[in-house]
Amino acid sequence: MTCSALTETRRNLSKQPEHRSMAKLRIDAKVLLFVETIYSRLGRDIAELLVHNRIKYKVDVVGKSLPVLTNLDKGKFAVIVFENLTKYLTMDNWNRELLDKYCREYGVGVVGFHPVSEEVLIGSQLKGFPIFVHTKMNLKNAALNPASNVLRLTRAGETAWGNLPGNDWTVFAPNHSTYEPLEWASPNSELPSPFVSDHGAARLLYTVVQDHGTYDGIQRVLFGSGLGFWLHRLLLLDALTHLSQGQISLGLNRYVLIDIDDIFVGEKGTRLKPPDVEALLSSQKRLQAMVSGFKFNLGFSGMYFHHGTDEENAGEDLLMEHIDDFSWFSHMWNHKQPHLYDNYTHLEMDMKLNKNFATEKNIPTDSGYSVAPHHAGVYPVHEYLYEAWKKVWNVKVTSTEEYPHLRPARLRRGFIHRNIMVLPRQTCGLFTHTYLIEKYPGGREKLDENIQGGELFQSIVFNPINIFMTHMSNYGNDRLALYTFESVLKFTQCWTNLRLLSTLPVELGEKYFQMFPEEEDPIWGNPCDDSRHIKTWSHNKTCQQLPNFLVIGPQKTGTTALYSFLSMHPNINSNLNSIDTFEEIQFFNGKNYYRGLDWYMGFFPVPINSSSQYLFEKSATYFDGEQVPKRAHALLPQAKLVTILISPAKRAYSWYQHMRAHGDQVALNYSFYEVITASESSNRPLRDLRNRCLLPGKYSQHLERWLTYYSSSQLFIIDGEELRTAPVDVMNSVQKFLKITPPFDYATHLRFDKKKGFYCQIINEDKTKCLGRSKGRKYPQMDERSLKLLQRYYLSHNTALVKLLKRLGHQNIPGWLKMDLSDTMVT
């Protein structure tokens, strides 16, 4: 496999079109994808490609109406994609005119895929356009038009030899100068007359065409087949860049790091011999000609040095003679998986043994990079590993293929924990046991398919930073890894204009999070939802330590009273108290989240009988936390949610009085009216207090955020006034919602306390146990001016709440909500 004409001119990437224009001022970098159904295969393929390349998109099923296309004077989409071109061509006149007007006004292009036809069409005209199609074609030998200005990432000049996948291709025959071929192919069978020249020779068949827009003012790219042909995936990315005028654009730099794990580890007969080491050095030189700055990155486990045959030991000695030719990082001394260490001291001692070995052999110890065997302890996080890495090796970056899950690979992401950057790793099919070509899954044919346009090639194209995991055994025997990487990087040079680069792992980590700063914060998932994660999770951990339900607030609605009532139930256990926030852990919002899952689980006792015990936590700040629903659902997707609502005006006033009672200087210095009328030009402490008073009361807005992640059947809404006046009825409903059996008889355990003015727990016939002195405080009545202002402020939110409650099936609207709305109407 060779490239024709890899000349310096071809490698002058500065000549690649950038497609930039003033469009960035008028359109968002987002794709509108029209599909026939949400289950259609091509639609899913397109969406997956967009996700892999982190391109924002919206999916809409082609129907009677269009989605909103503009926001004020700005277009919401940069490119329109139809998975079925026919749906675009046959759109009703009203919607078609609206869509075409939008495309012309905002300079937005259209991509269309001609659908598979059930019948053979010969010279059939596309409705409304001077272009004809022939369907059900069987093709071979695809090539690209080197003169096309669409090509940016994709490079023309090569031919994809052989049969193209499928026998249902559509080819285009233009009859107007607006059209230019982007891809063409040759027929695999005899052609009808429209596709044969006057001399009887077969014409090149246009499989992808560009519409320059000179016919009707709209630029388009039309595909004669879907994404089953690998080259179409690249062409679609280039089409999106071109048609969006550069708004949707991928960089052309691709960083490649190849880790060779398990150096010195392996059975006799599978390890490196001197010729293998020499081949490794020779291959590295060839790769350096393709990848600037490239070096193999070797991960060593010193305990197994010189444990092979005499010839294999000689190979290791030759590696030691060439230490400076490679990069090095620490594996585990004895190749033991870190999550199996229950004792931090033992883990630290083994790391020190590997470091002592490195020092003795003059292997560099300052790479700041390490990889754990089988990725164990990296994710799910084993805190001892991160602590020992920092102390012994000053690790700054590691990598794993397990975050958030191994599959699908397109969703692998990075995160930062304890100041260690965790980068996503890519897989290449080379495992510990694949040291011979026949041991590769699917054999030689599958390997070459992955290299020549398949998963391995696409991994390099779609990921700006690629860290590949390989093993020492892949480089001995028939040297499968050397063939794999030399081949795929050559193929990448043949078919793309990508710049292949490499650098040190720490620099890769810094580059990655410069590109994707939104990934710095981790999202802790539930290890029990992934069988691979359970295998690399400490055996002394259990998902039975995670809560079954959450009381999410908001603050000052009665959550502490609910907490005390729930804690009375013999089968319900709350979390242990925090020294900082008492009964509230406040894990999913704020800094506690970065302490990790181990820290969170430490607050929950292991249930004696998990089948009858229900764990919960109450953190009233969860309700209006922007990140909380997403974080909570990632860890507790099956959990149930309990929230309490009271009049938002009353809640705001209660919070203000709460702050005054706790000596908050802003609350003491300003009246309630001054607080809620503070403007954006007010001092920051005053604005902060205003927001803490007002924002949680936008109930519908916050509930909708929760319902983005949780189903309505997982949410229970308590009327706070009913909880105060009829707690027995409310608690019976809560038990029914939680499906707790046997039910607890709250009627015999709660009694109204006249002094306190609310219900308290019965200790014996004469005594009750009530909440602390700070609960149930009597505040001065809110002034009428503030009340009216707040009722007007919350009018739209309360109206939206009524609609939401009805949508959720609530037959009875809370009395306080009716009163707030009616008082506002009177006002």
Side-chain angles (χ1 to χ4, degrees), residues 95-107 218:
N95 285 324
R96 178 62 182 275
E97 288 176 6
L98 283 177
L99 188 62
D100 286 355
K101 180 181 178 182
Y102 171 78
C103 291
R104 293 188 187 98
E105 183 173 344
Y106 290 91
I218 300 173

Side-chain angles (χ1 to χ4, degrees), residues 805-806 808-813 818:
L805 292 175
K806 289 182 177 179
L808 297 178
H810 288 254
Q811 301 300 322
N812 298 318
I813 303 301
K818 292 180 181 178

Side-chain angles (χ1 to χ4, degrees), residues 683-754:
N683 62 74
R684 182 168 182 175
L686 181 57
R687 296 199 313 272
D688 289 345
L689 180 58
R690 175 203 62 189
N691 291 338
R692 283 180 287 166
C693 284
L694 298 180
L695 296 185
K698 298 178 178 182
Y699 295 148
S700 62
Q701 176 179 311
H702 303 308
L703 289 172
E704 291 285 12
R705 187 187 301 120
W706 281 98
L707 291 170
T708 300
Y709 296 93
Y710 287 90
S711 70
S712 58
S713 64
Q714 293 175 271
L715 175 66
F716 189 77
I717 300 174
I718 294 175
D719 179 344
E721 297 301 329
E722 285 189 9
L723 179 65
R724 183 174 60 83
T725 59
V728 173
D729 293 340
V730 170
M731 295 310 297
N732 288 338
S733 298
V734 170
Q735 290 183 91
K736 185 177 179 180
F737 167 71
L738 296 174
K739 298 181 179 178
I740 293 180
T741 54
F744 184 67
D745 186 6
Y746 278 96
T748 61
H749 291 82
L750 290 175
R751 178 192 300 154
F752 186 77
D753 187 296
K754 293 182 179 180

Side-chain angles (χ1 to χ4, degrees), residues 428-528:
C428 56
L430 301 180
F431 307 103
T432 307
H433 60 276
T434 47
Y435 49 87
L436 296 173
I437 187 69
E438 60 263 26
K439 290 185 176 293
Y440 188 88
R444 176 65 174 264
E445 183 178 353
K446 182 62 177 178
L447 174 60
D448 285 343
E449 179 185 317
N450 281 339
I451 289 170
Q452 298 173 25
E455 184 177 355
L456 181 55
F457 166 74
Q458 290 178 36
S459 179
I460 294 173
V461 174
F462 300 156
N463 293 295
I465 292 178
N466 293 269
I467 302 177
F468 289 106
M469 174 186 67
T470 63
H471 306 273
M472 180 186 70
S473 56
N474 307 138
Y475 295 81
N477 305 285
D478 59 8
R479 302 165 191 164
L480 184 57
L482 300 183
Y483 168 80
T484 298
F485 286 106
E486 286 193 50
S487 298
V488 74
L489 293 174
K490 285 179 182 176
F491 192 86
T492 303
Q493 283 195 324
C494 287
W495 282 100
T496 76
N497 290 308
L498 297 174
R499 304 179 187 91
L500 299 177
L501 309 165
S502 190
T503 188
L504 300 174
V506 173
E507 293 180 10
L508 282 183
E510 292 169 350
K511 289 179 182 297
Y512 184 90
F513 289 106
Q514 286 171 4
M515 295 177 190
F516 310 114
E518 69 280 2
E519 293 183 22
E520 291 183 5
D521 290 351
I523 296 292
W524 306 126
N526 191 322
C528 296

Side-chain angles (χ1 to χ4, degrees), residues 583-690:
E583 79 270 12
E584 296 197 357
I585 304 176
Q586 297 183 6
F587 174 66
F588 293 107
N589 58 335
K591 296 180 180 179
N592 287 339
Y593 191 72
Y594 305 114
R595 297 187 177 188
L597 184 55
D598 286 3
W599 181 87
Y600 182 59
M601 293 178 67
F603 284 95
F604 295 95
V606 178
I608 298 173
N609 183 350
S610 60
S611 62
S612 62
Q613 293 292 309
Y614 293 80
L615 293 178
F616 83 99
E617 75 138 318
K618 184 272 288 188
S619 290
T621 55
Y622 287 171
F623 181 78
D624 54 304
E626 288 191 15
Q627 295 296 323
V628 175
K630 178 181 179 180
R631 291 172 173 177
H633 185 263
L635 182 61
L636 308 170
Q638 304 304 320
K640 294 192 173 182
L641 311 171
V642 179
T643 184
I644 308 173
L645 303 182
I646 66 172
S647 165
K650 181 179 177 181
R651 195 220 67 84
Y653 184 64
S654 182
W655 177 255
Y656 168 78
Q657 292 292 353
H658 170 83
M659 297 302 291
R660 283 180 61 88
H662 285 77
D664 181 83
Q665 287 301 311
V666 180
L668 291 171
N669 292 336
Y670 292 90
S671 70
F672 182 57
Y673 186 80
E674 289 174 321
V675 170
I676 62 177
T677 57
S679 67
E680 291 305 312
S681 61
S682 303
N683 62 74
R684 182 168 182 175
L686 181 57
R687 296 199 313 272
D688 289 345
L689 180 58
R690 175 203 62 189

